[in-house]
Amino acid sequence: MLREDIVGASSASAEFLGTLLLQLFAGSTLVPLRIAAVFAALMATFARHSGGHLNPGISLAAALSGHLAWAPAAMYMLAQAVSLLLRMAWAPAAMYMLAQVLGALAGAALQVLLTPGLSFGATYEPSCHAPAQGLGGTPLFFWEALAAFVFVYAAYPALFVRPSYGSFGPLYVGLALFAVLSTGGAFTGMSPLNPAMSFAGTLVYDCEWRYVWMYVLGQYTGAGLAALLAVGVYGIGPMYLSEAERANYVALHGGPETGLSGGAGGMLSGQQQGGVAAPAGSQGMGVGMGTAGQQQGGVAAPAGSQGVAMSSAGVAGTF
């Protein structure tokens, strides 16, 4: 039996804590290099637990391109609003984005508690973003969408495409964020291109609500367009493939990518790794990002044995 409930909670907890820390530290500065450095460091820290998305836009791109399972779009939007009351909120993509939003809110609250002079409802400039003077709502949307598109598309091969950049992946993604913020940030008020942080900052610090919708809509639009282009360039991920196609994908790539070397767990169910089936009666657990089973690297486990296999593709257990 696939333990998606346990795996999902573990991955969501990592996304929650990672986004909390991101809001706490990156949400306290408007300097592009600092924002990018914090993001890269936290992505490296949480990559093995959840893929280190820390951004609903990245999780959305993963779902759209087939690298992360997700609930139907309407249910996912409802799940974010109703929180844990809905079982569908724990479908991996919606679960990630929900955890990221809640983590950003908790991080913003901690900012208030730990920073002298801050209070709930008082404007805090590093977490309240507004467009450059003279820039209206429509140009702001297009600037934000363009910046998010460039960032997510640049980060895509480091996150979801094999061979990725390995341990240098977070550095690569951080540099992409730094480049975008250093250029487009002058027009967008140094928005971190993160829907969770944009929403959390506006809610906790009572920023101007007339702008937050343009930020969030632009960020999701850019991420979605980046995912569509990435599918055309790199191909579709395993979530939208048939069972036979998934088996071929796993044989070629080692499992579905949901992040650098961690995963949302249980993306694919099965009892094989590398395309070779494990003998009946064996049990195992894979730690990584997708299909895990009773063998690793093409070496079968003896019948009746139990084991733990470390894979680069998801946290999935068969019991």
Side-chain angles (χ1 to χ4, degrees), residues 62 64-67 156 231 234-241 249 256:
L64 287 175
S65 60
H67 293 282
Y156 193 92
V231 167
Y234 301 108
I236 194 71
M239 296 305 104
Y240 300 132
L241 301 179
Y249 186 99

Side-chain angles (χ1 to χ4, degrees), residues 40-304:
L42 291 174
M43 174 174 283
T45 301
F46 292 97
R48 294 191 178 276
H49 303 285
S50 65
H53 294 188
L54 311 182
N55 186 321
I58 291 177
S59 297
L60 176 65
L64 287 175
S65 60
H67 293 282
L68 183 63
W70 65 335
M75 183 59 71
Y76 137 65
M77 296 299 292
L78 184 60
Q80 292 226 351
V82 185
S83 186
L84 305 183
L85 295 179
L86 296 179
R87 171 63 181 171
M88 289 300 289
W90 290 104
M95 169 193 70
Y96 267 38
M97 287 183 268
L98 175 63
Q100 290 155 358
V101 171
L102 294 177
L105 285 170
L110 274 179
Q111 279 180 321
V112 174
L113 297 176
L114 299 177
T115 306
L118 283 187
S119 61
F120 291 98
T123 300
Y124 182 47
E125 185 176 352
S127 288
C128 288
H129 305 101
Q133 188 173 6
L135 195 71
T138 300
L140 170 64
F141 165 78
F142 282 105
W143 270 110
E144 194 72 2
L146 178 61
F149 170 81
V150 173
F151 168 58
V152 174
Y153 186 74
Y156 193 92
L159 286 164
F160 305 117
V161 178
R162 290 197 175 192
S164 66
Y165 297 95
S167 59
F168 290 99
L171 177 61
Y172 177 86
V173 176
L175 287 174
L177 181 60
F178 171 66
V180 173
L181 292 181
S182 297
T183 52
F187 301 98
T188 64
M190 211 55 66
S191 158
L193 304 178
N194 191 316
M197 295 177 67
S198 294
F199 174 76
T202 302
L203 183 63
V204 172
Y205 297 112
D206 196 24
C207 309
E208 295 190 57
W209 283 94
R210 59 175 174 154
Y211 291 129
V212 68
W213 310 115
M214 289 295 141
Y215 280 114
V216 172
L217 184 60
Q219 291 156 1
Y220 277 131
T221 300
L225 291 175
L228 294 179
L229 178 60
V231 167
V233 175
Y234 301 108
I236 194 71
M239 296 305 104
Y240 300 132
L241 301 179
S242 65
E243 290 298 326
E245 291 171 328
R246 286 185 179 187
N248 290 333
Y249 186 99
V250 171
L252 291 173
H253 303 285
E257 294 285 359
T258 62
L260 290 170
S261 56
M267 297 303 105
L268 298 178
S269 62
Q271 299 181 355
Q272 66 175 38
Q273 176 72 12
V276 183
S282 62
Q283 296 183 354
M285 176 174 290
V287 180
M289 286 182 350
T291 302
Q294 282 87 352
Q295 64 141 57
Q296 175 69 9
V299 181

